[in-house]
């Protein structure tokens, strides 16, 4: 520049940037060129991360996008011949060209924290409020949570929320220990946000009319509308699933693949030959390992000292891992570079890997929290669901593998997958016991819902619902007395809650107990009401 200082001229137009309208500092990842080699890194330096201040001439921000659901500051950034010193390169000019590495290392940890936390917080809110609503709302004289169609969804919400919280703690523990797991963080981002979207949809189905009528008492509507935000930001889940997870993991996590690549790039024949031969050995060992695991249904897998009720899941996950390792080697040998464009196939590989990780997270949580017997129902549901997804992923891989090997897999392997599955979906009995874990206002319910804000003062929405849920749980023993008296024909037929006065008069319950039942009934009726607006409120202007 005219002052003798090395500078960078930036031209850019960036959309969808969180906090862009209010930030006074931004990082721009740019493709940096240096025609005169002023920085000494060559002409085409490549991706570089550069800091730019809000008041820089040529740089403009402040416009807003309007995100769906709950609004937050998000908008575009514009640069037209914006000039910044070369010292604004993150790490200084000597770090020019290292932007891609910076971005990947930053995402390696960050993707496992913020978006998963938001998604899982939302899932826990859905679990707490849906479990409560399923017992507060009645139909045909029964809590709707006792109707099997509703119960099936409540059980799924409970089991998957337990699994998701387990994965969050597992990944954050790795970060606390100093690891930067790029593949794990990608799995966490993609699958927690997608599962949270599925969970809130299930919750909306249970709440039905109370979910779709907007107003201060609507609990899930805003979360339902904003669910696509988490799925979209920090890389759309489609890209994360089909390009990043298996694309990064197949090389970075393989014991020999990256070394073979490095040997080729460095023209180190000995290194290349040594690791390629080791890779072939790894492949043949994988064939044997997968075959033995399949024949024994995982009983040859070494299992640590864990709860007896969960050992079978460790064996199944070990079996799945053996098959996944073999199928990864086969894909890298038989399909090779074409994997980069086979997003549908690599997405299925990502599913198989992700659900193994999520399943193991649930097992780890069960052990870390002291093997709580009351949580076994959630563990059984979560692991059956996870292993069923792994099974389905392998079926898809076999059905879509390329070439002669693919034909052999479809001819011989698919039948074996069906006859000898790694996992099957949770049973009706499992969904019943999983649902029960969030259908009583007790210590387990409060523990499963910890770390999210749950008002208890009867305020509109969640507070009103949880107050009714607590009161209804407290009067269950009293209602049991009334039901017994009805069976003995000492009381008339009808909803037990409406017979409190008669039951007190006949000595079935005490007067104080009758007051509790009456209060619980009033709270129930209040909690299921939705917002109503006068015409002058409804029509604006």
């Amino acid at each position: 520049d005219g002052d003798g200082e090395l500078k960078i001229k930036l031209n850019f137009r960036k959309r969808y940037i969180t906090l862009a309208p209010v930030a006074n500092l931004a990082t721009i990842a740019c493709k940096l060129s240096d025609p005169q080699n002023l920085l000494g890194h060559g002409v085409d330096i490549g991706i570089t991360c550069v800091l730019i201040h809000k008041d820089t001439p040529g740089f403009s921000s402040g416009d807003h996008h309007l995100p769906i659901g709950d609004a937050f500051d998000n908008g575009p950034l514009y640069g037209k011949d914006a000039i910044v010193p070369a010292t604004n390169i993150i790490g200084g000019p000597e770090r020019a060209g290292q932007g891609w590495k910076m971005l990947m290392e930053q995402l390696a940890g960050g993707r496992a924290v913020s978006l998963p936390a938001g998604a899982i917080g939302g899932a826990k809110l859905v679990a707490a409020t849906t479990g409560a609503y399923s017992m507060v709302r009645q139909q045909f004289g029964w809590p709707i949570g006792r109707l099997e169609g509703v119960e099936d969804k409540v059980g799924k919400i409970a089991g998957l929320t337990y699994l998701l919280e387990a994965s969050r703690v597992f990944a954050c523990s790795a970060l606390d220990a100093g690891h930067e797991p790029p593949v794990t963080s990608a799995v966490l981002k993609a699958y927690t946000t997608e599962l949270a979207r599925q969970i809130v949809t299930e919750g909306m189905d249970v709440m039905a009319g109370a979910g779709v009528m907007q107003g201060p008492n609507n609990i899930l509507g805003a979360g339902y509308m904003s669910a696509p935000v988490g799925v979209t930001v920090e890389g759309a889940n489609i890209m994360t699933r089909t390009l990043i997870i298996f694309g990064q993991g197949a090389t970075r996590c393989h014991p020999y693949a990256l070394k073979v690549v490095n040997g080729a790039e460095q023209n180190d024949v000995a290194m290349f030959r040594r690791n390629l031969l080791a890779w072939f050995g790894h492949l043949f060992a994988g064939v044997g390992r997968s075959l033995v695991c399949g024949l024994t249904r995982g009983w040859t897998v070494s299992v640590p000292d864990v709860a007896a009720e969960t050992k079978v899941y460790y064996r199944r996950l070990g079996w799945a891992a053996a098959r996944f390792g073999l199928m990864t080697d086969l894909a890298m040998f038989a399909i090779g570079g074409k994997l980069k464009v086979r997003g549908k196939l690599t997405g299925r590989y990502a599913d198989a890997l992700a659900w193994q990780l999520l399943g193991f997270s649930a097992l780890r949580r069960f052990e870390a929290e002291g093997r709580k017997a009351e949580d076994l129902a959630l563990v059984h549901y979560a692991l059956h669901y996870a292993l069923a997804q792994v099974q389905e992923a392998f079926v898809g891989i076999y059905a879509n593998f390329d070439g002669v090997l693919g034909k052999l897999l479809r001819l011989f392997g698919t039948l074996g997958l069906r006859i000898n599955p790694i996992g099957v979906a949770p049973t009706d009995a499992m969904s019943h016991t999983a649902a029960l874990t969030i259908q009583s206002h007790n210590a387990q319910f409060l523990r499963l819902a910890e770390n999210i804000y749950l008002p208890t003062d009867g305020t509109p929405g969640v507070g009103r619902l949880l107050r009714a849920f607590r009161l209804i749980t407290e009067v269950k023993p009293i209602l049991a007395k009334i039901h017994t008296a009805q069976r003995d024909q000492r009381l008339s037929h009808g909803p037990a809650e409406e017979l409190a006065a008669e039951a007190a008069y006949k000595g079935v319950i005490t007067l104080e107990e009758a007051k509790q039942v009456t209060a619980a009934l009033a709270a129930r009726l209040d909690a299921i009401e939705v917002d109503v607006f006068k015409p002058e409120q409804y029509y604006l202007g």
Side-chain angles (χ1 to χ4, degrees):
D1 203 353
D3 58 7
E5 185 179 0
L6 291 177
K7 295 184 179 177
I8 300 169
K9 183 167 66 176
L10 296 165
N11 285 279
F12 55 87
R13 182 185 180 93
K14 296 287 293 179
R15 294 166 294 180
Y16 317 136
I17 306 303
T18 301
L19 298 179
V22 296
N24 59 12
L25 184 66
T27 301
I28 302 297
C30 59
K31 188 176 181 181
L32 187 61
S33 297
D34 185 4
Q36 298 176 1
N37 195 24
L38 299 175
L39 293 177
H41 296 292
V43 174
D44 294 317
I45 296 177
I47 297 175
T48 301
C49 291
V50 181
L51 292 172
I52 183 168
H53 292 267
K54 187 173 184 177
D55 58 356
T56 300
F59 175 46
S60 61
S61 62
D63 294 340
H64 281 77
H65 299 307
L66 183 59
I68 192 170
D70 287 335
F72 58 93
D73 287 306
N74 189 286
L77 298 174
Y78 306 105
K80 178 62 176 177
D81 292 341
I83 297 176
V84 300
T87 53
N88 280 28
I89 295 173
I90 293 181
E94 62 270 22
R95 299 296 182 185
Q98 298 187 27
W100 182 252
K101 180 179 179 182
M102 293 178 184
L103 293 172
M104 290 300 100
E105 289 182 353
Q106 189 70 17
L107 286 172
R111 277 189 306 206
V113 179
S114 57
L115 285 172
I120 295 163
K124 293 180 76 169
L125 177 65
V126 174
T129 55
T130 305
Y133 188 82
S134 73
M135 302 309 290
V136 171
R137 179 75 165 89
Q138 286 193 345
Q139 191 73 39
F140 313 119
W142 283 87
I144 62 170
R146 291 291 174 261
L147 304 175
E148 288 199 355
V150 173
E151 182 185 76
D152 187 57
K153 291 184 176 292
V154 176
K156 180 179 179 180
I157 290 169
L160 293 186
T161 301
Y162 180 90
L163 175 144
L164 287 179
E165 173 67 354
S167 69
R168 181 189 69 83
V169 175
F170 190 18
C172 289
S173 297
L175 295 174
D176 285 345
H179 301 291
E180 292 185 352
V183 178
T184 297
S185 66
V187 168
L188 263 289
K189 188 274 171 182
Y191 288 81
T192 60
T193 54
E194 177 56 38
L195 286 173
R197 175 163 64 174
Q198 294 179 25
I199 288 170
V200 73
T201 300
E202 304 285 9
M204 288 286 286
D205 287 350
V206 173
M207 291 199 176
V212 299
M213 297 303 164
Q214 298 188 72
N217 283 295
N218 188 299
I219 295 171
L220 299 185
Y224 174 77
M225 289 188 289
S226 61
V229 173
V231 171
T232 301
V233 299
E234 285 194 25
N237 282 356
I238 293 176
M239 298 294 102
T240 305
R241 175 179 174 267
T242 60
L243 292 178
I244 295 177
I245 294 173
F246 189 70
Q248 285 190 343
T251 302
R252 292 178 66 102
C253 303
H254 196 282
Y256 304 109
L258 186 59
K259 296 175 183 177
V260 168
V261 172
N262 289 338
E265 289 181 346
Q266 298 169 19
N267 199 27
D268 188 331
V269 176
M271 179 182 179
F272 178 84
R273 182 190 299 112
R274 181 173 64 255
N275 285 285
L276 184 61
L277 292 174
W279 191 348
F280 278 116
H282 183 266
L283 170 64
F284 291 123
V287 172
R289 187 182 302 111
S290 183
L291 180 62
V292 171
C293 284
L295 291 174
T296 62
R297 294 188 57 77
W299 279 90
T300 55
V301 174
S302 178
V303 177
D305 181 19
V306 296
E309 300 91 340
T310 63
K311 286 186 176 181
V312 63
Y313 301 125
Y314 287 88
R315 295 188 181 103
R316 296 289 176 85
L317 287 171
W319 174 16
R323 178 179 290 167
F324 181 80
L326 172 61
M327 295 307 300
T328 297
D329 275 337
L330 292 178
M332 296 177 77
F333 275 121
I335 303 177
K338 293 181 181 179
L339 280 171
K340 294 180 180 179
V341 297
R342 291 296 313 278
K344 296 176 184 178
L345 182 64
T346 57
R348 294 184 173 95
Y349 273 93
D351 291 341
L353 173 65
W355 282 103
Q356 290 175 68
L357 174 63
L358 295 173
F360 183 76
S361 298
L363 293 174
R364 178 188 178 277
R365 176 181 181 180
F366 183 67
E367 290 293 322
E369 293 183 350
R371 304 180 184 178
K372 296 182 183 296
E374 64 269 28
D375 287 353
L376 266 175
L378 298 171
V379 175
H380 288 313
Y381 188 99
L383 266 297
H384 270 74
Y385 193 94
L387 288 168
Q389 302 307 306
V390 174
Q391 167 73 11
E392 195 60 30
F394 281 132
V395 170
I397 291 171
Y398 278 41
N400 295 280
F401 209 89
D402 289 358
V404 176
L405 184 56
K407 293 179 180 179
L408 293 174
L409 288 172
R410 286 185 286 278
L411 183 63
F412 300 107
T414 301
L415 180 62
L417 286 177
R418 298 297 188 187
I419 295 175
N420 189 30
I422 282 176
V424 295
T427 64
D428 293 347
M430 288 178 184
S431 70
H432 169 69
T433 54
L436 290 177
T437 63
I438 56 173
Q439 288 182 322
S440 291
H441 193 282
N442 54 21
Q444 183 184 27
F445 174 85
L446 295 174
R447 176 170 53 80
L448 293 174
E450 65 184 358
N451 297 325
I452 60 172
Y453 174 64
L454 294 177
T456 58
D457 56 359
T459 51
V462 178
R464 187 178 69 164
L465 173 64
L466 291 184
R467 178 177 178 273
F469 182 43
R470 176 178 56 80
L471 293 177
I472 289 168
T473 301
E474 290 173 354
V475 300
K476 280 182 179 179
I478 305 173
L479 296 178
K481 296 178 184 180
I482 297 177
H483 287 139
T484 300
Q486 287 179 307
R487 286 194 298 269
D488 296 341
Q489 298 184 351
R490 288 181 289 142
L491 289 175
S492 56
H493 293 290
E497 290 170 312
E498 298 176 8
L499 300 174
E502 180 185 350
Y505 177 76
K506 293 184 177 181
V508 175
I509 61 176
T510 67
L511 185 59
E512 184 61 34
E513 288 175 329
K515 291 180 180 178
Q516 285 183 258
V517 172
T518 301
L521 175 59
R524 178 201 296 276
L525 296 175
D526 184 49
I528 65 174
E529 286 295 329
V530 297
D531 295 288
V532 177
F533 302 96
K534 299 293 184 183
E536 58 270 23
Q537 296 172 306
Y538 185 76
Y539 294 103
L540 298 179

